[in-house]
Amino acid sequence: MSAPEFSLVTGSAATAEADALIVGLRTGEDGPVLAGGAEDVDAAFDGTLLELLTLAGASGKADDVVKFPTRGAVSAPLLVGVGLGRAQADAPAGAEAEQVRRASGAAARALAGTGRVASTLSRLDLAAATEGSLLGAYAFTTYKTNGAGKEPVAQFDLLVDKSDDDTTAALARAVAVAGAVRTARNLINTPPNDLFPASFADRAADIGAGAGLEVEVLDERQLADAGYGGVLGVGSGSSRPPRLVRLRWSGGDSPRASVALVGKGITFDTGGISIKPAANMDHMTSDMSGAAAVIATVALAAELKLPVTVTATVPMAENMPSGTSYRPGDVLTMYGGKTVEVLNTDAEGRLVLADAMVRAAEDSPDYLIETSTLTGAQLVALGTRTAGVMGTDEFRDRVAAVAKATGEGGWAMPLPEELRGDLDSRLADLANVTGHRWGGMLSAGLFLREFVADGLPWVHIDIAGPSFNTGGPWGYTPKGGTGVPVRTLAALLTDIAENG
């Protein structure tokens, strides 16, 4: 489906020409209260707007949406009240923006099939209202043939106090950022019979070329010649051979820093010889979410013309069981020469990432950022909406703070030295898993640390839960691919561009 259009509108919300008008509510001590930005609408209803919304069932809670006909009190025939949740006196950075983003997304989903919508939520936070509306209006319908789905809202009129260069720039950036998230979602939601390593590489190359990036694609022969033992080992069981894609944004004339991005691109993960249970294996179509995120992010960096050199290194493979699969007990020689004993072929992501991280470090970046759907242990530890962030202490904390401020969520996790010995191998430099289930997310981070160049600030973001929503939609988050952590990466690159 096509994406909505956006425009900035000044003047009274009460006279805005639209099919529906959105106002916000918050939860108060004694029931819902009107949020800011809707004063002119309330005046048009002679001060009874809150009473009418309450009668319609409004609570002000997050994701709560109510509708009622305006009967000519305002120009729009339909009034939509959406909950923002409780106002927070000492809210952390980004919390209020996230409330606006989530409310805008919930309203956009509820208004699917509507032609033109005016929103007062943009008076609270323009960028958040834009992102939430564009992301909430997202639907992946490529494979739908029954025509049962509604078209998304066609036009959002965002009400602002003034329209000038600053507001125009804020709108453009928000549309670009949300557009990159949608790009990642589209890649994640494409089924694995259509998105396999070669076709994924082609799509990544097309995205890169469209953004004006430098593009390099290595096929299986080139991977073998260069010694990418991890990528080749994981991909050896599939009839569809692996790829490695490199996309580079130069950072313009005077880049402030150089950043390496690495994302896991397992286009489908059966677990290989260490095969997964059949239940929910279909979710493993999302095992390339990290790759989708970094591909979308480097293209976004070019679109925003960020003064940072950004290079994405993306290993792509399909982990399948067959007569040619790598086995538990195999020893792989990784890119750069380290050897790894494979004890579990379902711990494949760290193997392809290790190759890519060593290659990425050869560019001598100032920072290395890797993201992946790496461990089920991330969900056990942090749930489905909070990514685990590991790495160099100072940089890890910086990334976790940015993730929370964007609303995507992230939590700094340790890399305990006592777990490192559990990765020792009797045959090779290290094993790909420990012999126990304790601290699985952390031991995966420790494995990856072995492939980070000395002195290089780096971070690993485990998005096993947050990248793919297996439940119902909420806020601006649909079922399926979410696009996490594109907004975190975009905010982090912007922060590096401004502060080094």
Side-chain angles (χ1 to χ4, degrees):
M1 288 186 177
S2 59
E5 297 292 329
F6 288 84
S7 62
L8 299 173
V9 175
T10 57
S12 174
T15 58
E17 295 294 334
D19 299 308
L21 175 63
I22 299 170
V23 299
L25 301 101
R26 295 189 183 278
T27 53
E29 294 298 329
D30 300 312
V33 295
L34 287 176
E39 293 81 5
D40 49 351
V41 183
D42 187 34
F45 281 92
D46 297 324
T48 65
L49 179 57
L50 179 60
E51 179 184 353
L52 293 171
L53 287 166
T54 303
L55 287 171
S59 69
K61 294 180 180 178
D63 284 11
D64 180 54
V65 178
V66 299
K67 306 174 185 177
F68 66 81
T70 63
R71 299 184 180 276
V74 296
S75 296
L78 182 69
L79 198 289
V80 181
V82 59
L84 291 133
R86 187 175 297 277
Q88 303 177 45
D90 298 312
E96 291 189 1
E98 177 64 7
Q99 288 181 323
V100 173
R101 191 179 293 112
R102 182 170 173 175
S104 297
R109 287 191 294 105
L111 289 168
T114 306
R116 188 168 190 168
V117 173
S119 177
T120 66
L121 298 179
S122 48
R123 289 172 169 170
L124 303 176
D125 190 308
L126 173 60
T130 304
E131 290 178 0
S133 297
L134 187 49
L135 296 177
Y138 174 85
F140 187 75
T141 59
T142 302
Y143 296 86
K144 296 282 190 180
T145 63
N146 57 13
K150 293 182 180 180
E151 289 292 321
V153 174
Q155 170 79 34
F156 281 98
D157 290 341
L158 302 174
L159 290 151
V160 291
D161 294 330
K162 61 180 180 179
S163 179
D164 55 17
D165 290 345
D166 288 342
T167 53
T168 300
L171 173 62
R173 178 185 170 84
V175 168
V177 170
V181 176
R182 289 170 64 102
T183 294
R185 289 178 177 180
N186 286 340
L187 290 170
I188 297 164
N189 289 328
T190 301
N193 58 315
D194 282 347
L195 194 82
F196 46 91
S199 64
F200 192 13
D202 288 343
R203 289 184 65 168
D206 288 344
I207 291 169
L213 306 177
E214 298 175 26
V215 179
E216 178 187 16
V217 179
L218 301 184
D219 63 18
E220 66 271 28
R221 292 182 180 180
Q222 293 166 306
L223 290 169
D225 290 343
Y228 285 90
V231 179
L232 289 167
V234 172
S236 62
S238 176
S239 61
R240 301 187 284 198
R243 295 288 186 269
L244 186 131
V245 175
R246 301 251 301 163
L247 303 174
R248 182 176 183 271
W249 157 242
S250 67
D253 296 331
S254 302
R256 179 150 190 183
S258 174
V259 178
L261 300 179
V262 174
K264 174 185 171 184
I266 300 298
T267 58
F268 192 77
D269 183 19
T270 66
I273 295 296
S274 308
I275 197 162
K276 294 176 180 291
N280 298 322
M281 194 191 287
D282 58 295
H283 296 168
M284 290 300 100
T285 185
S286 69
D287 213 18
M288 36 61 66
S289 296
V294 300
I295 290 166
T297 298
V298 68
L300 174 63
E303 183 178 357
L304 297 177
K305 294 182 170 54
L306 294 179
V308 178
T309 299
V310 184
T311 306
T313 304
V314 189
M316 302 173 175
E318 187 176 53
N319 189 21
M320 301 288 285
S322 76
T324 59
S325 297
Y326 75 135
R327 297 157 290 262
D330 283 357
V331 174
L332 304 179
T333 300
M334 314 297 285
Y335 184 82
K338 283 189 178 180
T339 57
V340 175
E341 180 185 10
V342 178
L343 298 181
N344 188 324
T345 64
D346 195 23
E348 85 298 329
R350 65 198 68 183
L351 299 174
V352 301
L353 290 168
D355 277 357
M357 290 166 70
V358 174
R359 173 63 187 91
E362 291 180 345
D363 299 326
S364 300
D366 298 303
Y367 301 98
L368 171 61
I369 306 163
E370 173 274 318
T371 186
S372 50
T373 50
L374 203 60
T375 65
Q378 179 271 316
L379 287 96
V380 174
L382 296 174
T384 60
R385 298 187 187 182
T386 303
V389 184
M390 289 149 275
T392 310
D393 287 355
E394 183 178 353
F395 191 45
R396 172 203 63 196
D397 293 346
R398 181 179 179 182
V399 173
V402 168
K404 285 184 277 190
T406 64
E408 286 191 326
W411 197 257
M413 300 295 289
L415 293 175
E417 290 299 332
E418 67 269 17
L419 291 177
R420 170 58 187 87
D422 297 334
L423 290 170
D424 287 342
S425 164
R426 67 182 182 86
L427 295 175
D429 294 329
L430 71 164
N432 74 327
V433 294
T434 67
H436 57 75
R437 61 189 291 263
W438 315 120
M441 174 173 59
L442 311 183
S443 61
L446 286 165
F447 179 93
L448 293 176
R449 190 181 67 179
E450 294 292 310
F451 298 88
V452 178
D454 291 341
L456 175 60
W458 74 284
V459 74
H460 155 57
I461 309 173
D462 193 331
I463 54 170
S467 65
F468 195 74
N469 179 22
T470 60
W474 53 276
Y476 54 86
T477 302
K479 188 170 184 177
T482 67
V484 172
V486 170
R487 291 191 296 109
T488 295
L489 296 177
L492 183 59
L493 292 176
T494 301
D495 183 53
I496 291 171
E498 294 173 351
N499 302 301

